[in-house]
Amino acid sequence: MDHKVWYDQEDEIIHLEFTRDYLTTDVPFIHKKLMEFGEGKRYKQMVIQISKTNKVENRETRELSNQSLRDAQITDVAFIGGSAANRMIAKVLLKTGNLKTNGNFFKTVEEGINWLKSKR
């Protein structure tokens, strides 16, 4: 698992940075980290950097990821970068209600963090 997942104590935001394609086998580790980092926190918000992700493996990967975000009760996600295809998938999930989360797209992490803080 070489994707990066961490909790920013100062901004109170979970960060996920994809470093390659996103595979179904990556989901359990990310799920575990979301649950761990979100436990007892007053804000359940994330920055997801998708600039280095060329593709999401398949539908199962997307469905398991959505379940992870629901389980962790993530309320807001700032997506940073990403290909047109990945942005389209994220937009469809947000608009169809499959993911009960507010989401938006940004060019920089700083813009994403500022947007997340404005949602509090």
Side-chain angles (χ1 to χ4, degrees):
M1 174 61 198
D2 51 348
H3 301 302
K4 300 174 186 171
V5 186
W6 70 96
Y7 185 76
D8 177 351
Q9 294 282 357
E10 183 178 333
D11 292 319
E12 300 179 88
I13 294 173
I14 300 168
H15 288 258
L16 169 58
E17 180 180 352
F18 290 112
T19 58
R20 58 166 168 73
D21 291 347
Y22 183 41
L23 308 175
T24 305
T25 56
D26 296 327
V27 176
F29 174 80
I30 291 171
H31 181 272
K32 179 182 175 205
K33 288 297 186 181
L34 292 181
M35 298 303 291
E36 177 185 318
F37 292 144
E39 186 175 342
K41 303 296 191 297
R42 63 181 166 161
Y43 303 116
K44 307 266 180 137
Q45 299 175 311
M46 285 186 73
V47 166
I48 302 178
Q49 297 180 50
I50 56 177
S51 301
K52 296 178 185 171
T53 307
N54 293 323
K55 68 177 183 173
V56 174
E57 184 174 28
N58 55 34
R59 182 182 192 140
E60 179 184 8
T61 308
R62 292 189 301 270
E63 289 173 356
L64 290 171
S65 296
N66 291 343
Q67 186 61 49
S68 292
L69 292 173
R70 284 192 297 271
D71 290 351
Q73 301 176 347
I74 301 299
T75 58
D76 306 288
V77 177
F79 294 98
I80 311 301
S83 69
N86 285 341
R87 289 171 63 112
M88 179 75 71
I89 289 168
K91 284 180 186 178
V92 168
L93 292 173
L94 292 170
K95 291 185 183 208
T96 60
N98 290 335
L99 186 56
K100 303 291 186 211
T101 297
N102 295 314
N104 211 338
F105 295 85
F106 303 92
K107 291 182 181 179
T108 69
V109 172
E110 183 179 354
E111 290 172 333
I113 289 172
N114 289 337
W115 177 79
L116 289 170
K117 287 181 172 181
S118 77
K119 296 294 181 188
R120 297 177 179 173

